[in-house]
Amino acid sequence: GAVVSQHPSWVICKSGTSVKIECRSLDFQATTMFWYRQFPKQSLMLMATSNEGSKATYEQGVEKDKFLINHASLTLSTLTVTSAHPEDSSFYICSAGGDRAFYEQYFGPGTRLTVT
Amino acid sequence: AQKVTQAQTEISVVEKEDVTLDCVYETRDTTYYLFWYKQPPSGELVFLIRRNSFDEQNEISGRYSWNFQKSTSSFNFTITASQVVDSAVYFCALLEAGTALIFGKGTTLSVSS
């Protein structure tokens, strides 16, 4: 299967600072990228969907001004958590989809964010 | 609206026991895909299987097998002769065209030696 990387794998930041998480598709062109959030012992919840060159579509309840998503190229999407607070501490996972088939989606390894 | 239900929150078995993880889904689409993922403590999702709505054949891969029944909207997953390394959280997920994967709440499987 295709390879999707995320950077960093884990990050600790102080409350009030911003953190950027990168999601890269290494061997295919990702026309669509999805960002999920997973709190401890819970399932993955979709935060937003982004298509290359377009504004992201956010799920209900996700603050678009707090979670900035940029999908400027077919291999890179970034999620920036602005003014992070302890309640933003979570596991963030991206998945990338190519333009071959909608069912081909590949997950990154995830980024564990801890806000102190 | 689409929905995935994994009624079993936690299952504990002893090594070599067989265990079945249940998954029931809801969708109005005729074309959809069902998935199972394994999430070990590291957090990285491990893809196990993808099945499309038109293929109801059961599948076996080593100790893993899947039973897809459209009549009951179920896609159950059985591990035969479980091992300690099978301990993880298992997610069932549904995908319709033009949407993102919808995950069930997951089933935590603990296999003791």
mmCIF file of all heavy atoms in Angstrom, chain A residues 2-37:
data_model
loop_
_atom_site.group_PDB
_atom_site.id
_atom_site.type_symbol
_atom_site.label_atom_id
_atom_site.label_comp_id
_atom_site.label_asym_id
_atom_site.label_seq_id
_atom_site.Cartn_x
_atom_site.Cartn_y
_atom_site.Cartn_z
ATOM 1 N N ALA A 2 0.196 2.367 -0.193
ATOM 2 C CA ALA A 2 0.896 3.634 -0.250
ATOM 3 C C ALA A 2 1.414 4.034 1.131
ATOM 4 O O ALA A 2 0.951 3.553 2.163
ATOM 5 C CB ALA A 2 -0.052 4.695 -0.789
ATOM 6 N N VAL A 3 2.378 4.932 1.114
ATOM 7 C CA VAL A 3 2.996 5.370 2.360
ATOM 8 C C VAL A 3 2.615 6.816 2.650
ATOM 9 O O VAL A 3 2.727 7.692 1.787
ATOM 10 C CB VAL A 3 4.530 5.249 2.281
ATOM 11 C CG1 VAL A 3 5.157 5.740 3.586
ATOM 12 C CG2 VAL A 3 4.926 3.801 2.024
ATOM 13 N N VAL A 4 2.140 7.012 3.871
ATOM 14 C CA VAL A 4 1.811 8.353 4.335
ATOM 15 C C VAL A 4 2.595 8.596 5.621
ATOM 16 O O VAL A 4 2.585 7.765 6.532
ATOM 17 C CB VAL A 4 0.301 8.482 4.609
ATOM 18 C CG1 VAL A 4 -0.025 9.861 5.187
ATOM 19 C CG2 VAL A 4 -0.494 8.251 3.325
ATOM 20 N N SER A 5 3.265 9.711 5.671
ATOM 21 C CA SER A 5 4.044 10.018 6.869
ATOM 22 C C SER A 5 3.445 11.211 7.588
ATOM 23 O O SER A 5 2.745 12.048 6.980
ATOM 24 C CB SER A 5 5.511 10.313 6.502
ATOM 25 O OG SER A 5 5.597 11.558 5.812
ATOM 26 N N GLN A 6 3.709 11.291 8.876
ATOM 27 C CA GLN A 6 3.298 12.434 9.678
ATOM 28 C C GLN A 6 4.492 12.897 10.487
ATOM 29 O O GLN A 6 5.288 12.105 10.980
ATOM 30 C CB GLN A 6 2.153 12.061 10.629
ATOM 31 C CG GLN A 6 0.793 12.136 9.999
ATOM 32 C CD GLN A 6 -0.325 11.883 10.992
ATOM 33 O OE1 GLN A 6 -1.022 10.874 10.896
ATOM 34 N NE2 GLN A 6 -0.503 12.798 11.950
ATOM 35 N N HIS A 7 4.550 14.209 10.652
ATOM 36 C CA HIS A 7 5.627 14.781 11.432
ATOM 37 C C HIS A 7 5.116 15.971 12.221
ATOM 38 O O HIS A 7 4.399 16.815 11.662
ATOM 39 C CB HIS A 7 6.775 15.232 10.517
ATOM 40 C CG HIS A 7 7.895 15.870 11.264
ATOM 41 N ND1 HIS A 7 8.864 15.129 11.942
ATOM 42 C CD2 HIS A 7 8.184 17.163 11.491
ATOM 43 C CE1 HIS A 7 9.701 15.954 12.526
ATOM 44 N NE2 HIS A 7 9.335 17.198 12.264
ATOM 45 N N PRO A 8 5.393 16.045 13.506
ATOM 46 C CA PRO A 8 6.189 15.081 14.275
ATOM 47 C C PRO A 8 5.337 13.906 14.725
ATOM 48 O O PRO A 8 4.130 13.916 14.556
ATOM 49 C CB PRO A 8 6.626 15.925 15.482
ATOM 50 C CG PRO A 8 5.505 16.890 15.679
ATOM 51 C CD PRO A 8 4.973 17.207 14.307
ATOM 52 N N SER A 9 5.974 12.876 15.292
ATOM 53 C CA SER A 9 5.228 11.738 15.825
ATOM 54 C C SER A 9 4.611 12.101 17.173
ATOM 55 O O SER A 9 3.556 11.591 17.516
ATOM 56 C CB SER A 9 6.072 10.493 16.049
ATOM 57 O OG SER A 9 7.283 10.600 15.484
ATOM 58 N N TRP A 10 5.295 12.944 17.894
ATOM 59 C CA TRP A 10 4.726 13.424 19.139
ATOM 60 C C TRP A 10 5.274 14.816 19.410
ATOM 61 O O TRP A 10 6.381 15.156 18.982
ATOM 62 C CB TRP A 10 5.041 12.467 20.304
ATOM 63 C CG TRP A 10 6.492 12.241 20.547
ATOM 64 C CD1 TRP A 10 7.278 11.280 20.009
ATOM 65 C CD2 TRP A 10 7.346 13.022 21.403
ATOM 66 N NE1 TRP A 10 8.572 11.397 20.461
ATOM 67 C CE2 TRP A 10 8.641 12.455 21.326
ATOM 68 C CE3 TRP A 10 7.147 14.132 22.227
ATOM 69 C CZ2 TRP A 10 9.711 12.961 22.037
ATOM 70 C CZ3 TRP A 10 8.225 14.638 22.933
ATOM 71 C CH2 TRP A 10 9.485 14.055 22.833
ATOM 72 N N VAL A 11 4.484 15.588 20.108
ATOM 73 C CA VAL A 11 4.899 16.953 20.424
ATOM 74 C C VAL A 11 4.267 17.374 21.739
ATOM 75 O O VAL A 11 3.107 17.052 22.016
ATOM 76 C CB VAL A 11 4.536 17.919 19.276
ATOM 77 C CG1 VAL A 11 3.055 17.887 18.975
ATOM 78 C CG2 VAL A 11 5.001 19.332 19.573
ATOM 79 N N ILE A 12 5.065 18.074 22.521
ATOM 80 C CA ILE A 12 4.581 18.661 23.769
ATOM 81 C C ILE A 12 4.722 20.162 23.625
ATOM 82 O O ILE A 12 5.786 20.649 23.250
ATOM 83 C CB ILE A 12 5.399 18.161 24.982
ATOM 84 C CG1 ILE A 12 5.306 16.632 25.086
ATOM 85 C CG2 ILE A 12 4.903 18.815 26.263
ATOM 86 C CD1 ILE A 12 6.213 16.039 26.150
ATOM 87 N N CYS A 13 3.654 20.878 23.900
ATOM 88 C CA CYS A 13 3.745 22.327 23.795
ATOM 89 C C CYS A 13 3.048 22.976 24.989
ATOM 90 O O CYS A 13 2.270 22.326 25.693
ATOM 91 C CB CYS A 13 3.136 22.815 22.480
ATOM 92 S SG CYS A 13 1.342 22.689 22.408
ATOM 93 N N LYS A 14 3.327 24.227 25.162
ATOM 94 C CA LYS A 14 2.721 24.961 26.274
ATOM 95 C C LYS A 14 1.405 25.575 25.834
ATOM 96 O O LYS A 14 1.210 25.924 24.654
ATOM 97 C CB LYS A 14 3.667 26.042 26.775
ATOM 98 C CG LYS A 14 4.915 25.481 27.452
ATOM 99 C CD LYS A 14 5.713 26.578 28.130
ATOM 100 C CE LYS A 14 6.885 25.963 28.897
ATOM 101 N NZ LYS A 14 7.692 27.002 29.591
ATOM 102 N N SER A 15 0.527 25.702 26.771
ATOM 103 C CA SER A 15 -0.789 26.284 26.501
ATOM 104 C C SER A 15 -0.619 27.671 25.898
ATOM 105 O O SER A 15 0.205 28.468 26.351
ATOM 106 C CB SER A 15 -1.560 26.361 27.824
ATOM 107 O OG SER A 15 -2.886 26.710 27.593
ATOM 108 N N GLY A 16 -1.372 27.940 24.852
ATOM 109 C CA GLY A 16 -1.322 29.238 24.208
ATOM 110 C C GLY A 16 -0.451 29.289 22.968
ATOM 111 O O GLY A 16 -0.529 30.247 22.190
ATOM 112 N N THR A 17 0.377 28.293 22.777
ATOM 113 C CA THR A 17 1.237 28.259 21.594
ATOM 114 C C THR A 17 0.549 27.515 20.466
ATOM 115 O O THR A 17 -0.500 26.887 20.648
ATOM 116 C CB THR A 17 2.581 27.579 21.905
ATOM 117 O OG1 THR A 17 2.336 26.223 22.314
ATOM 118 C CG2 THR A 17 3.303 28.308 23.022
ATOM 119 N N SER A 18 1.134 27.599 19.284
ATOM 120 C CA SER A 18 0.587 26.921 18.105
ATOM 121 C C SER A 18 1.492 25.779 17.697
ATOM 122 O O SER A 18 2.707 25.837 17.868
ATOM 123 C CB SER A 18 0.445 27.906 16.943
ATOM 124 O OG SER A 18 -0.492 28.901 17.263
ATOM 125 N N VAL A 19 0.883 24.761 17.155
ATOM 126 C CA VAL A 19 1.620 23.577 16.731
ATOM 127 C C VAL A 19 1.206 23.191 15.320
ATOM 128 O O VAL A 19 0.002 23.173 15.017
ATOM 129 C CB VAL A 19 1.326 22.383 17.668
ATOM 130 C CG1 VAL A 19 1.975 21.120 17.158
ATOM 131 C CG2 VAL A 19 1.802 22.691 19.077
ATOM 132 N N LYS A 20 2.191 22.889 14.498
ATOM 133 C CA LYS A 20 1.880 22.472 13.115
ATOM 134 C C LYS A 20 2.220 21.005 12.952
ATOM 135 O O LYS A 20 3.314 20.550 13.318
ATOM 136 C CB LYS A 20 2.686 23.297 12.112
ATOM 137 C CG LYS A 20 2.400 22.908 10.649
ATOM 138 C CD LYS A 20 3.282 23.658 9.666
ATOM 139 C CE LYS A 20 2.821 25.071 9.503
ATOM 140 N NZ LYS A 20 3.535 25.760 8.388
ATOM 141 N N ILE A 21 1.289 20.271 12.361
ATOM 142 C CA ILE A 21 1.487 18.851 12.075
ATOM 143 C C ILE A 21 1.447 18.660 10.563
ATOM 144 O O ILE A 21 0.539 19.155 9.899
ATOM 145 C CB ILE A 21 0.380 17.998 12.735
ATOM 146 C CG1 ILE A 21 0.371 18.207 14.250
ATOM 147 C CG2 ILE A 21 0.571 16.521 12.400
ATOM 148 C CD1 ILE A 21 -0.847 17.610 14.939
ATOM 149 N N GLU A 22 2.434 17.949 10.057
ATOM 150 C CA GLU A 22 2.507 17.722 8.617
ATOM 151 C C GLU A 22 2.072 16.302 8.262
ATOM 152 O O GLU A 22 2.386 15.351 8.976
ATOM 153 C CB GLU A 22 3.937 17.938 8.105
ATOM 154 C CG GLU A 22 4.420 19.349 8.188
ATOM 155 C CD GLU A 22 5.800 19.511 7.569
ATOM 156 O OE1 GLU A 22 6.449 18.488 7.279
ATOM 157 O OE2 GLU A 22 6.215 20.662 7.378
ATOM 158 N N CYS A 23 1.412 16.189 7.149
ATOM 159 C CA CYS A 23 1.004 14.888 6.619
ATOM 160 C C CYS A 23 1.461 14.830 5.165
ATOM 161 O O CYS A 23 1.070 15.682 4.365
ATOM 162 C CB CYS A 23 -0.511 14.744 6.718
ATOM 163 S SG CYS A 23 -1.173 13.215 5.996
ATOM 164 N N ARG A 24 2.282 13.853 4.857
ATOM 165 C CA ARG A 24 2.830 13.740 3.506
ATOM 166 C C ARG A 24 2.510 12.392 2.887
ATOM 167 O O ARG A 24 2.650 11.353 3.541
ATOM 168 C CB ARG A 24 4.350 13.893 3.510
ATOM 169 C CG ARG A 24 4.855 15.267 3.856
ATOM 170 C CD ARG A 24 6.373 15.352 3.790
ATOM 171 N NE ARG A 24 6.832 16.662 4.248
ATOM 172 C CZ ARG A 24 6.947 17.724 3.470
ATOM 173 N NH1 ARG A 24 6.646 17.629 2.179
ATOM 174 N NH2 ARG A 24 7.365 18.861 3.951
ATOM 175 N N SER A 25 2.080 12.422 1.630
ATOM 176 C CA SER A 25 1.946 11.174 0.877
ATOM 177 C C SER A 25 3.250 11.012 0.112
ATOM 178 O O SER A 25 3.643 11.882 -0.648
ATOM 179 C CB SER A 25 0.747 11.242 -0.070
ATOM 180 O OG SER A 25 0.860 12.329 -0.965
ATOM 181 N N LEU A 26 3.921 9.918 0.348
ATOM 182 C CA LEU A 26 5.288 9.779 -0.151
ATOM 183 C C LEU A 26 5.382 9.187 -1.542
ATOM 184 O O LEU A 26 6.375 9.412 -2.237
ATOM 185 C CB LEU A 26 6.098 8.915 0.829
ATOM 186 C CG LEU A 26 6.188 9.468 2.251
ATOM 187 C CD1 LEU A 26 7.055 8.572 3.123
ATOM 188 C CD2 LEU A 26 6.738 10.893 2.253
ATOM 189 N N ASP A 27 4.393 8.431 -1.957
ATOM 190 C CA ASP A 27 4.555 7.767 -3.248
ATOM 191 C C ASP A 27 3.315 7.855 -4.125
ATOM 192 O O ASP A 27 3.158 7.077 -5.067
ATOM 193 C CB ASP A 27 4.956 6.304 -3.049
ATOM 194 C CG ASP A 27 3.989 5.573 -2.135
ATOM 195 O OD1 ASP A 27 3.029 6.210 -1.646
ATOM 196 O OD2 ASP A 27 4.176 4.371 -1.919
ATOM 197 N N PHE A 28 2.435 8.798 -3.816
ATOM 198 C CA PHE A 28 1.292 8.997 -4.701
ATOM 199 C C PHE A 28 0.765 10.414 -4.497
ATOM 200 O O PHE A 28 1.104 11.097 -3.535
ATOM 201 C CB PHE A 28 0.199 7.964 -4.442
ATOM 202 C CG PHE A 28 -0.568 8.163 -3.158
ATOM 203 C CD1 PHE A 28 -1.856 8.694 -3.169
ATOM 204 C CD2 PHE A 28 0.002 7.843 -1.934
ATOM 205 C CE1 PHE A 28 -2.555 8.881 -1.988
ATOM 206 C CE2 PHE A 28 -0.692 8.028 -0.760
ATOM 207 C CZ PHE A 28 -1.968 8.552 -0.782
ATOM 208 N N GLN A 29 -0.066 10.833 -5.409
ATOM 209 C CA GLN A 29 -0.628 12.171 -5.319
ATOM 210 C C GLN A 29 -1.958 12.118 -4.580
ATOM 211 O O GLN A 29 -2.898 11.451 -5.029
ATOM 212 C CB GLN A 29 -0.815 12.751 -6.725
ATOM 213 C CG GLN A 29 0.505 12.981 -7.448
ATOM 214 C CD GLN A 29 0.330 13.714 -8.759
ATOM 215 O OE1 GLN A 29 -0.648 13.490 -9.461
ATOM 216 N NE2 GLN A 29 1.261 14.579 -9.091
ATOM 217 N N ALA A 30 -2.000 12.795 -3.478
ATOM 218 C CA ALA A 30 -3.177 12.763 -2.611
ATOM 219 C C ALA A 30 -4.089 13.935 -2.948
ATOM 220 O O ALA A 30 -3.840 15.065 -2.551
ATOM 221 C CB ALA A 30 -2.754 12.814 -1.143
ATOM 222 N N THR A 31 -5.136 13.661 -3.684
ATOM 223 C CA THR A 31 -6.059 14.727 -4.035
ATOM 224 C C THR A 31 -6.938 15.122 -2.842
ATOM 225 O O THR A 31 -7.403 16.243 -2.751
ATOM 226 C CB THR A 31 -6.957 14.302 -5.200
ATOM 227 O OG1 THR A 31 -7.541 13.031 -4.882
ATOM 228 C CG2 THR A 31 -6.156 14.158 -6.483
ATOM 229 N N THR A 32 -7.139 14.183 -1.952
ATOM 230 C CA THR A 32 -7.957 14.450 -0.772
ATOM 231 C C THR A 32 -7.221 13.971 0.474
ATOM 232 O O THR A 32 -6.622 12.898 0.460
ATOM 233 C CB THR A 32 -9.309 13.719 -0.848
ATOM 234 O OG1 THR A 32 -9.961 14.081 -2.063
ATOM 235 C CG2 THR A 32 -10.204 14.080 0.325
ATOM 236 N N MET A 33 -7.274 14.783 1.497
ATOM 237 C CA MET A 33 -6.702 14.371 2.777
ATOM 238 C C MET A 33 -7.728 14.589 3.866
ATOM 239 O O MET A 33 -8.510 15.544 3.820
ATOM 240 C CB MET A 33 -5.421 15.137 3.082
ATOM 241 C CG MET A 33 -4.242 14.649 2.253
ATOM 242 S SD MET A 33 -2.681 15.281 2.878
ATOM 243 C CE MET A 33 -1.510 14.444 1.825
ATOM 244 N N PHE A 34 -7.744 13.679 4.802
ATOM 245 C CA PHE A 34 -8.682 13.735 5.915
ATOM 246 C C PHE A 34 -7.880 13.865 7.206
ATOM 247 O O PHE A 34 -6.850 13.219 7.365
ATOM 248 C CB PHE A 34 -9.523 12.457 5.975
ATOM 249 C CG PHE A 34 -10.278 12.151 4.705
ATOM 250 C CD1 PHE A 34 -9.728 11.327 3.744
ATOM 251 C CD2 PHE A 34 -11.536 12.687 4.489
ATOM 252 C CE1 PHE A 34 -10.415 11.035 2.581
ATOM 253 C CE2 PHE A 34 -12.233 12.401 3.325
ATOM 254 C CZ PHE A 34 -11.675 11.578 2.364
ATOM 255 N N TRP A 35 -8.412 14.630 8.116
ATOM 256 C CA TRP A 35 -7.790 14.756 9.439
ATOM 257 C C TRP A 35 -8.760 14.231 10.488
ATOM 258 O O TRP A 35 -9.930 14.626 10.531
ATOM 259 C CB TRP A 35 -7.429 16.205 9.732
ATOM 260 C CG TRP A 35 -6.223 16.666 8.971
ATOM 261 C CD1 TRP A 35 -6.204 17.326 7.771
ATOM 262 C CD2 TRP A 35 -4.865 16.483 9.345
ATOM 263 N NE1 TRP A 35 -4.910 17.558 7.382
ATOM 264 C CE2 TRP A 35 -4.065 17.055 8.324
ATOM 265 C CE3 TRP A 35 -4.221 15.896 10.443
ATOM 266 C CZ2 TRP A 35 -2.666 17.058 8.383
ATOM 267 C CZ3 TRP A 35 -2.841 15.899 10.489
ATOM 268 C CH2 TRP A 35 -2.082 16.472 9.473
ATOM 269 N N TYR A 36 -8.241 13.334 11.323
ATOM 270 C CA TYR A 36 -9.026 12.740 12.394
ATOM 271 C C TYR A 36 -8.379 13.091 13.740
ATOM 272 O O TYR A 36 -7.184 13.319 13.835
ATOM 273 C CB TYR A 36 -9.064 11.212 12.275
ATOM 274 C CG TYR A 36 -9.772 10.671 11.057
ATOM 275 C CD1 TYR A 36 -9.127 10.578 9.829
ATOM 276 C CD2 TYR A 36 -11.093 10.227 11.142
ATOM 277 C CE1 TYR A 36 -9.774 10.061 8.709
ATOM 278 C CE2 TYR A 36 -11.741 9.703 10.040
ATOM 279 C CZ TYR A 36 -11.069 9.623 8.826
ATOM 280 O OH TYR A 36 -11.717 9.110 7.727
ATOM 281 N N ARG A 37 -9.218 13.040 14.769
ATOM 282 C CA ARG A 37 -8.729 13.244 16.129
ATOM 283 C C ARG A 37 -9.225 12.067 16.959
ATOM 284 O O ARG A 37 -10.370 11.619 16.798
ATOM 285 C CB ARG A 37 -9.278 14.567 16.672
ATOM 286 C CG ARG A 37 -8.878 14.895 18.094
ATOM 287 C CD ARG A 37 -9.237 16.325 18.444
ATOM 288 N NE ARG A 37 -10.621 16.648 18.192
ATOM 289 C CZ ARG A 37 -11.150 17.844 18.387
ATOM 290 N NH1 ARG A 37 -10.386 18.841 18.829
ATOM 291 N NH2 ARG A 37 -12.421 18.062 18.124
#
